[in-house]
Amino acid sequence: MGRIPPMSAKRREEMKIYGKKRKAFLAKNPKCAVYPRRKATDIHHMRGRAGKLFLCEDYWLAVSREAHIKIGQEPQWARDNGYLCAKGEWGKQPEE
């Protein structure tokens, strides 16, 4: 039996697109949305990364690494401040 590839061919293609979109998004949004005095280095996916959400900039947030960690560690705080979707919205696909 052959090894299962760590990433599907489809996801590999999405990653190429994501890399370009990510770079452009961070260039347009250089400051962290949580800590404006810090440089944005990460893309936070406010509804998750499943399906079409991975490339949907409508649910992206430019953040610093520190802010990204805080959002992950304090989800209620993140929801209260608009950095994370409401409960029940996680993974909900964008309208077409």
Side-chain angles (χ1 to χ4, degrees), residues 9-82:
K10 180 181 177 185
R11 190 55 143 196
R12 205 169 13 263
E13 287 304 310
E14 289 175 336
M15 287 298 289
K16 288 178 188 176
I17 296 166
Y18 178 75
K20 291 174 186 173
K21 288 182 79 167
R22 178 186 180 278
K23 186 176 180 179
F25 188 83
L26 289 174
K28 282 192 300 188
N29 301 278
K31 293 184 180 182
C32 174
V34 178
Y35 302 122
R37 292 184 179 182
R38 294 190 180 169
K39 180 181 177 184
T41 57
D42 293 8
I43 301 293
H44 168 57
H45 293 76
M46 297 188 296
R47 275 199 190 174
R49 297 166 51 122
K52 294 177 183 172
L53 290 170
F54 184 57
L55 297 175
C56 183
E57 294 182 40
D58 294 342
Y59 303 103
W60 287 9
L61 191 65
V63 295
S64 64
R65 171 87 320 232
E66 296 84 2
H68 213 172
I69 291 168
K70 182 173 175 104
I71 290 167
Q73 290 177 340
E74 300 184 38
Q76 191 55 56
W77 168 85
R79 278 189 191 93
D80 292 346
N81 288 283

